């Protein structure tokens, strides 16, 4: 398992899954970081883009409001 998604991609990993169990809130800065990493995964042709597991209800709502939930969940 790799704790840093950007490093995982640089190291040649093709799947990046992020366990968000301990993240209870997410603001626009956090969302921007997730979307940037997801975009980088797509640029490196990762077989699976960045994916969040177990987001908090607030974080899931933010992703849904931004239209990003189908890409990341």
């Amino acid at each position: 398992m790799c704790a840093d998604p950007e490093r995982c991609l640089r190291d040649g990993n093709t799947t990046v899954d992020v366990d968000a169990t301990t993240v209870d809130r997410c603001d626009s800065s956090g969302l921007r970081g997730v979307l940037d990493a997801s975009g980088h995964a797509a640029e490196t042709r990762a077989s699976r883009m960045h994916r969040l597991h177990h987001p908090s209800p607030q974080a899931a709502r933010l992703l849904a409001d931004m239209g990003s939930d189908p890409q990341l969940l």
Side-chain angles (χ1 to χ4, degrees):
M1 175 164 20
C2 185
D4 177 359
E6 291 293 327
R7 191 182 85 225
C8 291
L9 293 169
R10 280 193 309 272
D11 290 348
N13 291 293
T14 58
T15 302
V16 179
D17 290 330
V18 177
D19 182 355
T21 303
T22 61
V23 179
D24 57 341
R25 298 202 54 84
C26 180
D27 63 10
S28 60
S29 297
L31 179 60
R32 177 83 265 150
V34 168
L35 293 174
D36 286 348
S38 180
H40 184 71
E43 289 169 7
T44 61
R45 294 179 178 80
S47 65
R48 173 136 198 176
M49 289 179 43
H50 201 72
R51 182 176 168 135
L52 294 176
H53 295 277
H54 313 293
S56 70
Q58 183 272 336
R61 210 169 29 257
L62 177 62
L63 291 168
D65 289 348
M66 299 302 295
S68 300
D69 57 327
Q71 297 171 344
L72 300 173
L73 300 177

